Amino acid sequence: MQTDPNWSNFFYEAESNKIYLLDFGATRQYSRKFVDIYINIIKAASTGNRESIVGNSIKLGFLTGYDTKAMIDAHVEAVTVLGGPCGVDEMFDFGRQDITKKIENVVPVMLKHRLSPPPEETYSLHRKLSGAFLLCAKLKSRVNVKSLYDPVFARYEYGLPDREYHLDEKS
């Protein structure tokens, strides 16, 4: 994943309607174990499956298993709000969303009740995701997010071994 959400790191080709990454200096690879669990959290958020959100959040290290009810509730609320657009089969209006305000409301609870820091990998991942989100908000994008994520969930293969990627690979 490219972890620097600087717009100058991307090139838009209008003819093909594709965006190309130009700067590989800030890329990051995540372990398959991390991705396997993280994608389960997103899927659980998209379907509102609280039990799966909590269980996978403990496995990944977002929660410890000894958290207060307030922390668990705030975490589940944040995850559900962020993953919600993945479960709704309609256009999500990034320009008119209130996700940012909803997250601002639960952050003080999480800061007060968190027993351990989030998984280290999430700092770079969430930086990238928030950059993409803010870009979509600035552009007032309307996107059927579910139509983008459903094929990813359907094709995803769990438990594959980690592998190294090289810039000269075609895949």
Side-chain angles (χ1 to χ4, degrees), residues 92-117:
F92 180 76
D93 190 340
F94 282 89
R96 301 180 67 132
Q97 56 78 26
D98 63 349
I99 287 176
T100 307
K101 185 55 93 179
K102 289 177 180 177
I103 296 301
E104 285 176 2
N105 291 334
V106 296
V107 165
V109 176
M110 291 192 286
L111 289 174
K112 180 178 180 183
H113 293 276
R114 181 170 296 285
L115 297 177
S116 65

Side-chain angles (χ1 to χ4, degrees), residues 19-160:
I19 297 175
Y20 293 92
L21 175 62
L22 300 176
D23 179 358
F24 290 91
T27 57
R28 159 110 202 223
Q29 184 175 337
Y30 299 97
S31 73
R32 283 302 296 219
K33 180 181 178 187
F34 172 83
V35 176
D36 286 354
I37 299 169
Y38 195 89
I39 201 167
N40 280 334
I41 294 171
I42 296 170
K43 182 65 173 171
S46 75
T47 61
N49 185 336
R50 180 185 174 90
E51 183 178 319
S52 182
I53 292 170
V54 172
N56 283 296
S57 293
I58 290 170
K59 283 182 197 173
L60 200 58
F62 278 114
L63 299 172
T64 66
Y66 300 101
D67 305 280
T68 64
K69 181 179 181 327
M71 175 61 194
I72 293 169
D73 290 346
H75 176 75
V76 169
E77 175 68 15
V79 170
T80 303
V81 165
L82 292 169
C86 297
V88 181
D89 196 14
E90 61 188 40
M91 299 302 272
F92 180 76
D93 190 340
F94 282 89
R96 301 180 67 132
Q97 56 78 26
D98 63 349
I99 287 176
T100 307
K101 185 55 93 179
K102 289 177 180 177
I103 296 301
E104 285 176 2
N105 291 334
V106 296
V107 165
V109 176
M110 291 192 286
L111 289 174
K112 180 178 180 183
H113 293 276
R114 181 170 296 285
L115 297 177
S116 65
E120 183 268 327
E121 299 93 336
T122 62
Y123 291 102
S124 59
L125 177 60
H126 290 173
R127 179 176 176 220
K128 182 61 174 179
L129 293 174
S130 64
F133 186 92
L134 292 172
L135 171 63
C136 289
K138 185 168 185 72
L139 296 173
K140 298 181 178 12
S141 299
R142 292 177 33 89
V143 179
N144 184 326
V145 180
K146 181 177 174 37
S147 72
L148 298 175
Y149 275 103
D150 279 352
V152 173
F153 293 136
R155 287 191 319 261
Y156 189 77
E157 296 181 55
Y158 290 90
L160 295 178

